[in-house]
Amino acid sequence: GHVGAWAPRPEQVATAQFLGNTSAIAAYHETMIRGLRQRLDLLYEGFEAMRKGGLPLTSFAPQGAIYLSVKFDLVGRRHGSAVIRTNEEIRRLLLEEAGFAVVPFQAFGLNEDTGWMRLSVGAVSPAAVRSGLARVRALLERVS
């Protein structure tokens, strides 16, 4: 549902009680960080395997957040009869053809269409990462 500008009182009380349980918070934090790291590593290793296999992309190793930066070097390449010209076209292609959501760096102030995108693993499972990578690989293999 919708909670508006603040959490309802019962949630506030429950959260306040939970915050006093430092061992539960530490255990949750450890599990959360381990899961994020696993998903980031899966994503990065998958993209590195694609790059080493000759597909047009570059990525930075994870650096502690929930995001991964990837350059899909597709500007000037063809998908079917269309020439890819912008980050927006890359974003749309990945979403529509591979079911893979990315955010172009223009959202963070970059003006040029360089193919750089940000990806998040905050709310995705390892299985979803693996299947997403397979769909991206199949798409990139079709781009000339």
Side-chain angles (χ1 to χ4, degrees), residues 29-49:
H29 187 255
E30 181 182 325
T31 300
M32 182 186 71
I33 297 299
R34 187 176 341 112
L36 285 171
R37 187 70 202 189
Q38 176 193 22
R39 296 186 307 270
L40 280 168
D41 289 345
L42 280 171
L43 197 59
Y44 175 70
E45 290 163 7
F47 284 131
E48 275 299 287

Side-chain angles (χ1 to χ4, degrees), residues 91-114:
R91 182 205 63 80
R92 186 175 302 131
L93 182 66
L94 287 164
L95 184 60
E96 293 175 358
E97 298 285 328
F100 198 84
V102 298
V103 177
F105 268 28
Q106 275 86 353
F108 311 105
L110 181 69
N111 292 323
E112 298 81 22
D113 286 300
T114 59

Side-chain angles (χ1 to χ4, degrees), residues 56-119:
L57 59 82
T58 303
S59 63
F60 285 113
Q63 298 180 13
I66 64 172
Y67 306 107
L68 190 72
S69 297
V70 180
K71 180 180 183 182
F72 294 92
D73 195 12
L74 303 179
V75 173
R77 295 178 186 263
R78 290 190 170 279
H79 179 254
S81 62
V83 175
I84 301 165
R85 301 192 191 286
T86 67
N87 280 6
E88 175 57 21
E89 290 173 358
I90 295 169
R91 182 205 63 80
R92 186 175 302 131
L93 182 66
L94 287 164
L95 184 60
E96 293 175 358
E97 298 285 328
F100 198 84
V102 298
V103 177
F105 268 28
Q106 275 86 353
F108 311 105
L110 181 69
N111 292 323
E112 298 81 22
D113 286 300
T114 59
W116 280 105
M117 307 286 165
R118 177 184 268 186
L119 290 69

